[in-house]
Amino acid sequence: MSPPHPPNRRREIPWWLLAIALLGILTFWQIVADEGMRTIFNALSAGIITTLWVTGVAFILASLLGLIVAMARTSRFRVAREVATFYVEIVRGVPLLVVLFYVAFVGAPAMVDGANWLLAPFIEQGWLPKVTVRNFDFTWRAIVALTVCYSAFLAEIFRAGIESVDRGQHEAAWALGLSRWHTFRFITFPQAFRTILPPYGNDFVSMIKDSALVSALGVQDITQLGKVYSSSTFKFFETYNIVAFLYLTMTISLSLLVRLAERRLKRQDHDR
């Protein structure tokens, strides 16, 4: 029997990552050394916080809503399953940009009317002011739109993770006297999390990229500030180079963190 071949160390070197790192260093050096590039970077840097804020809040809300929808999709009640499936199929079939405009210009006025209807007794007594569409700013409309869209995708990821756990473990937990909630919390979710993590992390990276669409509503994120700056200075090449550099820095850093967490989980499974 021939001995196993030694691992090919040359193939294990992440050349793609080295090339991206080199490109990032060169761009960063240009920003530091060139005053014009540094001015553009300073003009766009305010949009980083907005981009991270919109993405972070929307992703947390989408995760909560997606988990509720996934639990409904795997429910024993047929009505809950049908309603959740209807929601997922409708939302996944509509482009994000259309949902963004729909929430901003149709959903937001409807939500304001609904809030005024619910609060009518307090408004009539003068205890609360009447809510207007202007109170619902475009940043929150963008967050709601991203939440709605990504909750449908995350619901399918959660559902796949939940269904990957052997049903015999649920039945064993119920036989031991655990409630359905405790079975989900202590038995199902910890195991499903290992299946969920890679696509879950990838969806967060995708949301950072898709958050650029909120610039269509005038939200002051990186893309919107880049559009405004390049239109006023006609420095399109330099501006969009820095816009791409900022998005790449965020998405590649997060992708590497997700891969690191995934490897760590695999190593823990292997050590057991």
Side-chain angles (χ1 to χ4, degrees), residues 50 54 138-140 142 214-225:
T50 305
V54 168
F138 280 106
T139 301
W140 278 104
V214 305
S215 64
L217 298 181
V219 176
Q220 300 290 305
D221 71 330
I222 297 170
T223 307
Q224 175 65 10
L225 292 180

Side-chain angles (χ1 to χ4, degrees), residues 196-230:
I196 289 168
L197 181 63
Y200 185 68
N202 288 335
D203 264 25
F204 186 56
V205 174
S206 295
M207 187 185 269
I208 287 181
K209 291 187 291 182
D210 286 345
S211 71
L213 291 173
V214 305
S215 64
L217 298 181
V219 176
Q220 300 290 305
D221 71 330
I222 297 170
T223 307
Q224 175 65 10
L225 292 180
K227 280 164 60 180
V228 172
Y229 190 88
S230 60

Side-chain angles (χ1 to χ4, degrees), residues 41 87 158 162:
F41 179 81
Y87 175 80
F158 290 143
I162 291 168

Side-chain angles (χ1 to χ4, degrees), residues 153-180:
F153 292 104
L154 291 176
E156 286 302 274
I157 292 172
F158 290 143
R159 182 186 61 80
I162 291 168
E163 290 181 347
S164 69
V165 179
D166 185 28
R167 185 163 179 81
Q169 296 192 33
H170 301 172
E171 291 169 354
W174 296 334
L176 290 172
L178 266 69
S179 64
R180 288 186 179 273

Side-chain angles (χ1 to χ4, degrees), residues 33-47:
D34 188 301
E35 188 178 348
M37 294 286 277
R38 197 163 57 247
T39 303
I40 298 171
F41 179 81
N42 291 335
L44 302 186
S45 58

